[in-house]
Amino acid sequence: MIGQLRGRLTDKRPNQLLVDVGGVGYLVAVPLSTYASLGDLHTEVTLLIHTHVREDALTLYVFLSSREKHFFEMLLGASGVGPSLALKILSGMSVEELVPAIRTGDVARLTRIPGVGRKTAERMVVELKDKLETVVVAGEKPAAASPAGVEADVVSALINLGYEQRAAESAVSEAKRTAGTANFEKLLRAALHGLSAPQTRKAVG
């Protein structure tokens, strides 16, 4: 079982990374929060791994912090939440937003995440609420992404979350106009906020 990778970051996209470890390239899945905290290409990274094995595939899910990895694995404990959906949940909302949403049973907020239906959100609340009693949600500020190509990265991230390209581009344009920031995380949150509004939401079912 692979628990950690340390190597050179040779490629990164909002939903996956390629890490060169001693000449072997590992293609790994990543949540947006980890992606936004990564350094530049060709720098060394140390990543915590959750290894998911199926009969037809072996997938590595990577995180920069043990806290986020732990929360990912906690999400897997909810009925109907597999690794791909857990990754989308962590990409759609930060741990600081998810914990209070689950604790207070805010199903409406949880269902704003593409792929999370009402029944899944309700199961998350029922099955995870007690486990979150001891989780501290003190703010942790991820490092900002490079300003270059941030808007394109956010559009790509939104598409990977399940939004249509036209809706994603429109949301990023509006978020940039109102938020006036080149920070990946802030621009992403602003775009998600706009897309979650009932009149503009364009998530793919």
Side-chain angles (χ1 to χ4, degrees):
M1 191 70 69
I2 300 174
Q4 177 179 292
L5 285 179
R6 178 180 297 156
R8 187 167 53 90
L9 184 63
T10 57
D11 188 29
K12 64 175 183 176
R13 301 176 186 179
N15 64 332
Q16 67 180 26
L17 311 174
L18 183 62
V19 184
D20 184 329
V21 181
V24 178
Y26 288 85
L27 190 63
V28 297
V30 59
L32 289 173
S33 49
T34 291
Y35 171 85
S37 300
L38 290 167
D40 296 330
L41 290 178
H42 310 301
T43 57
E44 185 174 281
V45 292
T46 299
L47 302 165
L48 300 176
I49 307 294
H50 172 87
T51 305
H52 183 70
V53 181
R54 298 188 316 187
E55 290 184 2
D56 59 345
L58 186 153
T59 307
L60 303 180
Y61 296 88
V62 304
F63 310 90
L64 284 176
S65 72
S66 57
R67 181 168 176 267
E68 190 170 45
K69 177 176 179 285
H70 173 69
F71 199 79
F72 172 83
E73 292 171 340
M74 190 179 294
L75 286 171
L76 297 181
S79 303
V81 179
S84 295
L85 181 55
L87 207 67
K88 283 190 175 183
I89 292 170
L90 283 177
S91 294
M93 293 177 70
S94 68
V95 173
E96 283 68 31
E97 295 170 317
L98 278 167
V99 171
I102 293 173
R103 279 177 175 167
T104 60
D106 192 346
V107 172
R109 192 174 187 187
L110 293 171
T111 54
R112 292 174 188 167
I113 303 171
V116 178
R118 185 171 184 83
K119 289 184 178 179
T120 298
E122 290 173 346
R123 285 196 294 265
M124 286 168 59
V125 170
V126 172
E127 298 174 20
L128 301 179
K129 186 176 181 179
D130 290 343
K131 297 179 180 179
L132 296 178
E133 289 301 322
T134 59
V135 175
V136 179
V137 291
E140 292 180 351
K141 297 182 179 180
S146 169
V150 167
E151 291 179 50
D153 284 345
V154 174
V155 169
S156 177
L158 291 171
I159 292 171
N160 285 321
L161 282 173
Y163 291 101
E164 296 173 355
Q165 181 168 344
R166 185 175 299 176
E169 291 173 348
S170 176
V172 171
S173 177
E174 178 64 17
K176 183 68 182 296
R177 186 181 68 82
T178 57
T181 177
N183 177 284
F184 176 89
E185 186 76 6
K186 290 181 179 178
L187 191 60
L188 174 66
R189 297 300 174 194
L192 283 169
H193 178 74
L195 284 164
S196 68
Q199 71 274 19
T200 60
R201 187 177 177 186
K202 298 290 184 180
V204 176

